[in-house]
Amino acid sequence: VGAIAHIGKKKINVPQLVSVTTTTALGTALAQAGFPAADYSTGTAQSTMARYWAAEEPITKAIEQIEATEAGFVRETKAKGIHFEGR
């Protein structure tokens, strides 16, 4: 089972964040899902989200929204971690 599958059914709650980079939004969402910060890495974000929040939202949907904003993608690593690649 991969990292995303491990947290895939979790629903998250993120209070509204203002003027936040996509990497910060992803880190906050993953933390809400209980994924350890030491197990994910990111490229350099090039997008800032005016506002980001999640209310009882599946982590997979949150990841998809952040990917779409950045035009990047999230992938699982060989070490069972998660990596976010910006555009």
Side-chain angles (χ1 to χ4, degrees), residues 63-74:
I63 289 171
E64 289 169 358
Q65 290 174 343
I66 295 165
E67 284 176 318
T69 299
E70 178 65 33
F73 63 95
V74 172

Side-chain angles (χ1 to χ4, degrees), residues 3-4 35 39-40 75-83:
I4 295 172
F35 197 78
D39 291 343
Y40 73 87
R75 64 178 171 85
E76 295 177 337
T77 66
K78 290 181 182 179
K80 296 187 179 181
I82 293 175
H83 179 75

Side-chain angles (χ1 to χ4, degrees):
V1 174
I4 295 172
H6 180 71
I7 61 171
K9 294 189 186 264
K10 295 190 177 185
K11 291 189 176 183
I12 62 168
N13 289 296
V14 176
Q16 183 171 289
L17 305 173
V18 178
S19 190
V20 62
T21 65
T22 50
T23 54
T24 299
L26 179 65
T28 303
L30 290 173
Q32 286 289 317
F35 197 78
D39 291 343
Y40 73 87
S41 59
T42 61
T44 302
Q46 296 183 19
S47 298
T48 299
M49 302 172 86
R51 287 181 172 72
Y52 175 74
W53 72 93
E56 283 298 306
E57 185 171 295
I59 183 65
T60 51
K61 184 175 178 183
I63 289 171
E64 289 169 358
Q65 290 174 343
I66 295 165
E67 284 176 318
T69 299
E70 178 65 33
F73 63 95
V74 172
R75 64 178 171 85
E76 295 177 337
T77 66
K78 290 181 182 179
K80 296 187 179 181
I82 293 175
H83 179 75
F84 177 52
E85 191 63 46
R87 54 185 142 127

